[in-house]
Amino acid sequence: MNKALYYFGLIQLLLVQLFLFKTKKYYEDEGKQNKRIVGSAIIISNHRSFWDGIVIALIYFFKRLHFLVTDFYRNKRRLLKFIISVAGGIFVGENGQNFDFIEKSKKVTAKGRAILMFPEGGFKFTYEPSKFSAGYIMLAIKTGAKIVPVVNDFNYGLFKRVHIMVGNSIDLSNHFGADITKEKLNEINDEISNKFLMLFYKLKRKKAEKLSNNYTFASPKKGDVIRVFVGHYHHYGVYLNAGEVIQFGHTINRNGDNVVVNSVSLNDFCDNKIPEVRTLKRSEKRFVRSLEDMEKYAKSCIGQGGYDIVNNNCLDFANRVTLDL
């Protein structure tokens, strides 16, 4: 009965998919990656609104989805509690003392179903995914389900399109049934959180690749992406003013240097070279962040590492900071 009601509700949401989502899916490993979830799974995703769960339920339409929700409806709002149960909700006690949800999760995954979790916690209005809480790892170990990371860009709207990046599944079966130390749990969580962040960067890169990449010699203005040619490649940064160019790495990286986001003067960035300034087509300028937002984002990243030449290099950083993709 619950399954029938679940799909009845999901079918009604197909119109939302058509007008507000128009979801485009990418995969970490195109060609090799299975486009469907086979067997039980813990799906983890970033979180910003109540639409997030609906988007994921629709992209996995033929996979019965459940999700964890705090049981703050006890002894009241019974109708709402019933609706959430039908939608796939598995209630977790507010005081954290009730672990019935683990047994319920085991029963769900034993049927080959998936459980959706948002490890960031509540809605997170951050520029990049926040550090995960590790509860999803414990649930994966207890149930024996694989973890499937799904990155959402939250691009909801009538004239917009949601983009999703689905990562390769993560198998923790070697820990199944074992007691895991807090240190090991944190280690696994750090590894998965970093993997998720790289998937986020990969999704942003894919979207930025569709824009034009034209540069011209001109005086930079606040918010411009600038570059200088360094031997065999270009180095990119975000110009704020003559004393502040935010860059990932340095124009010339020396052995032993930490590749982190930092701030330098325009003269130091250019190193006696003439900078080029990026120009966008008129139709692309709608993706440019406000100057205030851009500066806030850029400065919040100072000291950040995680350089990756494929998905998180100096140009990728400049694109994320300047473009709201």
Side-chain angles (χ1 to χ4, degrees):
M1 179 64 174
N2 278 7
K3 186 175 181 180
L5 290 172
Y6 171 84
Y7 277 106
F8 175 79
L10 208 55
I11 288 169
Q12 311 310 306
L13 290 167
L14 288 175
L15 281 177
V16 178
Q17 156 73 4
L18 182 63
F19 291 104
L20 290 185
F21 301 156
K22 300 176 283 295
T23 310
K24 170 71 174 176
K25 282 189 291 183
Y26 298 104
Y27 294 89
E28 178 182 3
D29 195 354
E30 294 282 356
K32 296 181 180 180
Q33 195 171 346
N34 197 323
K35 303 302 186 288
R36 300 180 67 181
I37 296 177
V38 179
S40 60
I42 306 294
I43 299 173
I44 59 172
S45 186
N46 45 339
H47 199 20
R48 186 168 292 181
S49 80
F50 70 95
W51 292 120
D52 306 338
I54 296 173
V55 167
I56 294 173
L58 287 170
I59 67 171
Y60 291 116
F61 188 89
F62 297 103
K63 189 74 174 179
R64 180 70 161 94
L65 230 63
H66 295 259
F67 57 94
L68 299 187
V69 59
T70 304
D71 186 6
F72 55 86
Y73 306 101
R74 192 181 309 278
N75 298 324
K76 58 182 179 179
R77 299 178 181 174
R78 295 184 183 277
L79 177 60
L80 184 56
K81 188 169 183 177
F82 170 74
I83 293 172
I84 291 174
S85 296
V86 169
I90 299 174
F91 292 99
V92 181
E94 280 188 283
N95 56 15
Q97 302 299 315
N98 189 340
F99 294 97
D100 288 348
F101 75 94
I102 294 178
E103 293 306 315
K104 292 177 182 176
S105 298
K106 286 181 179 179
K107 290 178 181 178
V108 164
T109 54
K111 297 177 181 178
R113 296 178 177 180
I115 298 174
L116 172 62
M117 296 183 68
F118 298 109
E120 290 176 305
F123 300 156
K124 298 292 183 181
F125 293 90
T126 54
Y127 292 111
E128 299 180 359
S130 302
K131 178 72 179 292
F132 290 166
S133 298
Y136 69 99
I137 298 174
M138 293 303 301
L139 196 62
I141 292 172
K142 293 286 186 182
T143 61
K146 59 181 173 288
I147 296 172
V148 178
V150 176
V151 179
N152 186 344
D153 73 351
F154 313 117
N155 199 33
Y156 308 132
L158 284 175
F159 303 103
K160 298 181 178 182
R161 187 171 194 175
V162 176
H163 298 78
I164 296 288
M165 173 66 72
V166 181
N168 293 331
S169 61
I170 301 166
D171 186 2
L172 298 179
S173 59
N174 58 320
H175 298 290
F176 183 61
D179 290 329
I180 188 168
T181 64
K182 184 176 180 180
E183 290 72 19
K184 185 63 177 178
L185 185 66
N186 289 334
E187 179 185 326
I188 296 172
N189 190 37
D190 286 343
E191 184 178 339
I192 294 176
S193 295
N194 289 334
K195 172 184 171 64
F196 193 92
L197 192 58
M198 286 300 162
L199 288 173
F200 171 82
Y201 292 156
K202 185 171 185 175
L203 177 60
K204 292 292 186 180
R205 182 185 184 122
K206 277 189 171 292
K207 295 175 68 178
E209 285 173 349
K210 297 178 180 179
L211 302 183
S212 59
N213 217 20
N214 300 316
Y215 289 81
T216 184
F217 291 106
S219 298
K221 303 185 300 297
K222 184 174 183 177
D224 282 339
V225 172
I226 61 175
R227 72 179 188 182
V228 290
F229 187 64
V230 188
H232 304 291
Y233 61 92
H234 285 96
H235 178 63
Y236 298 80
V238 179
Y239 178 86
L240 298 181
N241 55 62
E244 288 182 297
V245 177
I246 312 296
Q247 60 176 355
F248 195 2
H250 300 273
T251 306
I252 300 176
N253 290 311
R254 299 175 293 276
N255 290 335
D257 276 357
N258 289 324
V259 183
V260 298
V261 177
N262 60 89
S263 176
V264 295
S265 69
L266 180 62
N267 285 338
D268 287 340
F269 177 85
C270 293
D271 192 31
N272 297 318
K273 300 177 180 66
I274 300 175
E276 294 177 272
V277 176
R278 181 170 67 186
T279 59
L280 296 173
K281 295 177 183 177
R282 180 178 297 179
S283 60
E284 297 170 335
K285 290 182 179 179
R286 62 193 175 96
F287 297 114
V288 176
R289 294 181 185 275
S290 69
L291 294 179
E292 180 183 2
D293 196 34
M294 200 182 296
E295 182 173 3
K296 186 177 178 181
Y297 189 174
K299 290 184 175 180
S300 73
C301 292
I302 290 177
Q304 186 181 84
Y307 185 90
D308 182 281
I309 195 169
V310 176
N311 293 313
N312 192 28
N313 56 43
C314 56
L315 176 58
D316 296 322
F317 167 75
N319 281 333
R320 289 197 303 275
V321 164
T322 58
L323 302 173
D324 188 11
L325 293 171

